[in-house]
Amino acid sequence: MPAAFCTKTDCPEVVCSMADFVRLEYDIDGENFTSAGEASVKVKRSLRQMGFDPETIRKVSVSMYEGEINMVIHADGGKATVDIYDDRIVIVLADRGPGIPDIDLAMQAGYSTAPDNIRSLGFGAGMGLPNMAKYTDEMKIESEVGVGTTVTMVVKV
Amino acid sequence: MKISEIAKLLNAEVLCGEEELDREVKSACGCDMMSDVLAFVKEQAVLITGLCNPQVVRTAQMMDMGCIVFVRGKMPPPEVVSLAEKADIVVLASKERMYVACGVLYQNGLSGGSVLHG
């Protein structure tokens, strides 16, 4: 990846740029469905500037976008961390929402607990988590009811 | 097919991206469920929808779609149009219903393209 990344993009969300990876961090606003997806758009832009191929960029941005939407619908927002290495991109979405009681059930395509108003906005079809699994090479969900959920996704470059 | 031809065939108003009307597009997708767009779109450059919120623009952005056609006479609010403008996406608004809009474009050579499966 280009060494000049930080200065080139003047990107305020770059919180650390170690020798072998760049970290981007975002607070996801849970109040506002309108702004949901802004962090994913920024990540997409950064990856493009860093010269990643379009397929990798799409995998990362779609899976993160679905996750971001989930955090807004179910968990009142949370935190997104994206670590960019030369050979992989690791996305961690952490929330303090209600947790997922049955992860296998939540992973089933078509299963949804989203309220009706979310369906009228074009989401809540029970495709979020399956899409995230489809677009990433590895995905891990850690969740405790009443405590929160952390989703870790890896896209190999 | 040029985006200008889509506008002409659907008798659509151009809400933003006037300068990009000469852009060529090869395939399209008609959908109101954004999760399905994210799940199945592969290379389609045009999103035909009756849904009018900012997530339509973000979904198109994620999938690298360069043109959104709002059908059934739906008028997206100004903030949706300005979001699309910033994302370099052409926005058209047509009074045609979804079925008719898709049919007319398909008949005139705009294909459905291939989709991702599973």
Side-chain angles (χ1 to χ4, degrees), chain A residues 30-97:
Chain A
E31 301 284 299
N32 194 347
F33 187 78
T34 300
S35 65
E38 279 179 356
S40 306
V41 170
K42 285 179 188 162
V43 167
K44 182 164 189 170
R45 198 179 301 138
S46 295
L47 293 177
R48 196 179 286 151
Q49 282 165 337
M50 293 166 90
F52 284 96
D53 67 286
E55 197 51 41
T56 302
I57 294 173
R58 183 182 285 192
K59 284 178 177 175
V60 171
S61 50
V62 170
S63 48
M64 179 171 166
Y65 178 51
E66 289 276 22
E68 220 184 309
I69 295 277
N70 274 350
M71 286 163 100
V72 173
I73 296 174
H74 299 287
D76 201 19
K79 192 161 192 152
T81 307
V82 182
D83 288 341
I84 304 162
Y85 299 82
D86 283 337
D87 63 340
R88 69 191 185 283
I89 294 160
V90 181
I91 308 151
V92 179
L93 305 172
D95 69 59
R96 292 171 186 273

Side-chain angles (χ1 to χ4, degrees), chain A residues 33-38 40-41 44-45 48 54 58 61-62 65-66 69 119-128 131 134-135, chain B residues 32-44 51 53-56 58-65 79 83 116-118:
Chain A
F33 187 78
T34 300
S35 65
E38 279 179 356
S40 306
V41 170
K44 182 164 189 170
R45 198 179 301 138
R48 196 179 286 151
R58 183 182 285 192
S61 50
V62 170
Y65 178 51
E66 289 276 22
I69 295 277
R119 277 187 201 108
S120 67
L121 294 167
F123 290 90
M127 293 302 291
N131 270 354
K134 185 168 94 176
Y135 279 105
Chain B
D32 283 351
M33 183 50 84
M34 294 304 112
S35 305
D36 281 352
V37 175
L38 293 168
F40 299 111
V41 161
K42 196 173 170 195
E43 59 193 12
Q44 290 80 350
L51 201 65
N53 65 59
Q55 299 310 335
V56 174
R58 295 231 170 78
T59 300
Q61 237 177 321
M62 293 301 153
M63 305 316 281
D64 304 307
M65 302 172 99
E79 63 269 24
L83 201 60
L116 288 174
H117 292 286

